[in-house]
Amino acid sequence: MVEKRKLTNPVYEEIKETIGLIPEFFLAIPERTLREQWDLFKDAFLSEEGPFDPKTKELIGLAASAGMDCEYCIPVHTALSKFHNATNEEVNETAQLVRSVGQWSRLLYALDYDKDLLRKEIRAIIEFLGGRPRPL
């Protein structure tokens, strides 16, 4: 639980004005780093700048969260992806991709598969499929 303290830092008011409340986890952040953490939060979850639209950013966040087994992050990114109009099919496909990547990663790791050989094979597959291989 977070200890109660006076909310004198103006960043707290900005948080409340921007998202409607001050989540308690912001109260656990040392005030000397509050501005930096809030700016990072806004950039990650609220910004529409960058190459990805908000829905795609949240689906990526969901995939990363599932890959880390983060029980805090998964419901957040699921809800935010749906807020940004992700369909159940897109959320389910993201979960399937996480499973597939994790499964192949564990297999290759357990096999101690040669990384240079893997890069060579992937380039050959991409070339066969008509793509232009790029350095991996």
Side-chain angles (χ1 to χ4, degrees):
M1 195 60 171
V2 177
E3 69 178 61
K4 298 296 179 186
R5 61 179 168 193
K6 287 188 175 186
L7 305 181
T8 57
N9 190 319
V11 175
Y12 291 122
E13 188 58 35
E14 183 182 334
I15 293 169
K16 188 173 183 178
E17 287 175 5
T18 304
I19 61 175
L21 60 97
I22 303 168
E24 286 199 27
F25 57 80
F26 276 111
L27 301 176
I29 295 170
E31 285 203 36
R32 70 182 181 283
T33 65
L34 182 61
R35 166 54 60 194
E36 175 187 9
Q37 296 301 321
W38 170 237
D39 287 344
L40 289 170
F41 181 92
K42 288 187 301 184
D43 185 56
F45 301 112
L46 304 175
S47 175
E48 293 190 15
E49 294 180 21
F52 299 112
D53 61 86
K55 177 177 78 172
T56 302
K57 282 172 62 172
E58 292 305 331
L59 290 170
I60 292 169
L62 174 58
S65 300
M68 296 183 306
D69 295 325
C70 180
E71 63 185 83
Y72 298 102
C73 306
I74 292 169
V76 169
H77 291 290
T78 300
L80 288 173
S81 67
K82 288 183 176 186
F83 172 76
H84 290 295
N85 299 312
T87 64
N88 286 337
E89 182 180 14
E90 290 169 319
V91 170
N92 294 345
E93 180 71 13
T94 300
Q96 172 64 26
L97 288 168
V98 169
R99 185 206 58 81
S100 182
V101 169
Q103 172 186 335
W104 283 104
S105 174
R106 286 187 297 279
L107 175 66
L108 295 172
Y109 188 77
L111 294 172
D112 194 24
Y113 203 79
D114 183 271
K115 292 178 202 73
D116 290 330
L117 176 59
L118 178 64
R119 287 181 182 96
K120 180 180 174 183
E121 291 171 336
I122 291 299
R123 282 190 200 96
I125 291 168
I126 291 169
E127 191 170 325
F128 176 81
L129 294 174
R132 299 184 66 193
R134 298 179 183 173
L136 296 176

